[in-house]
Amino acid sequence: MKDRTGRRIRRPAQPRTGWPAARPWIVRAGIAAAVVVAYFLLPLDHLGPQRPVLSWVLFALLLTVVAVLLLRQIRHVFLDRPDSRPGVAISLLIVLSVHVFSATYYALAKEPGQFSGLHTRLDALYFTVVTLATVGYGDITPRGQAAPLVAVLQITYSFVFLTAAAPALTTRMRDRVVRGPQRGRSR
């Protein structure tokens, strides 16, 4: 359908139900599960003190990629890009950043004197979540020079990027709630 000037008229999007509505969520949940499985299966024992330069380069590269992708999603929200799904994408990127820090802590724990109480990948994941939540139980503590540095980087990274992501998500949700009833009336 076209208007008087010959431009195509966009019809309001119909709400998706059933499989079309569930499919994106199932795919994204699968991606999040794949990140968790990969974290537990990747050969992280080959990083750390055996290959310090590779370990630090991978850490910096992965965090940079996640940061750029997060900023891109935040930008999409503020530019009101209708084709983006920032709520799910940002959630997946947060999951990925948690696992990047966990892998880094696990690799750092292989170096003697960096951590006390961190021995397994689950310990590293636990420490990452506790640091992210700023709870700090004290059962795992960074001791050396590199481990506290990474903990400070995690806190700063989380503060900057999660603080930027939160208003983006609330803006997107507010816009969807406000626009939702208006779409139904325009038919």
Side-chain angles (χ1 to χ4, degrees):
M1 203 158 132
K2 296 184 180 184
D3 67 3
R4 288 183 281 175
T5 62
R7 284 186 270 166
R8 187 172 172 224
I9 298 174
R10 294 179 69 188
R11 293 184 182 172
Q14 298 293 323
R16 293 190 291 176
T17 59
W19 174 248
R23 184 174 177 262
W25 290 100
I26 292 170
V27 168
R28 287 170 179 103
I31 292 169
V35 168
V36 174
V37 169
Y39 168 72
F40 283 101
L41 295 179
L42 284 172
L44 299 177
D45 295 324
H46 300 296
L47 296 174
Q50 293 91 353
R51 295 186 178 95
V53 173
L54 176 63
S55 300
W56 286 108
V57 168
L58 278 174
F59 174 65
L61 181 66
L62 287 171
L63 278 187
T64 302
V65 167
V66 172
V68 167
L69 292 173
L70 271 169
L71 290 173
R72 183 173 177 236
Q73 289 300 316
I74 293 165
R75 185 173 148 253
H76 285 195
V77 169
F78 290 117
L79 291 177
D80 199 24
R81 299 252 332 245
D83 59 331
S84 67
R85 298 208 179 271
V88 178
I90 289 173
S91 300
L92 288 173
L93 291 168
I94 290 169
V95 167
L96 185 58
S97 69
V98 164
H99 285 86
V100 168
F101 279 105
S102 294
T104 304
Y105 290 134
Y106 180 73
L108 275 174
K110 299 296 178 194
E111 186 176 327
Q114 286 297 326
F115 277 99
S116 70
L118 197 154
H119 306 291
T120 67
R121 292 175 197 234
L122 188 57
D123 289 343
L125 184 57
Y126 163 79
F127 179 75
T128 304
V129 172
V130 167
T131 302
L132 178 66
T134 65
V135 177
Y137 295 127
D139 52 344
I140 299 175
T141 53
R143 298 276 183 194
Q145 291 299 302
L149 173 67
V150 173
V152 168
L153 286 174
Q154 181 193 350
I155 293 165
T156 305
Y157 188 89
S158 299
F159 180 73
V160 169
F161 291 104
L162 298 185
T163 302
L169 290 176
T170 56
T171 298
R172 181 61 159 231
M173 294 300 284
R174 186 186 67 238
D175 288 349
R176 288 222 162 174
V177 168
V178 169
R179 289 182 189 166
Q182 293 173 350
R183 283 188 185 144
R185 288 187 210 133
S186 66
R187 285 189 203 170

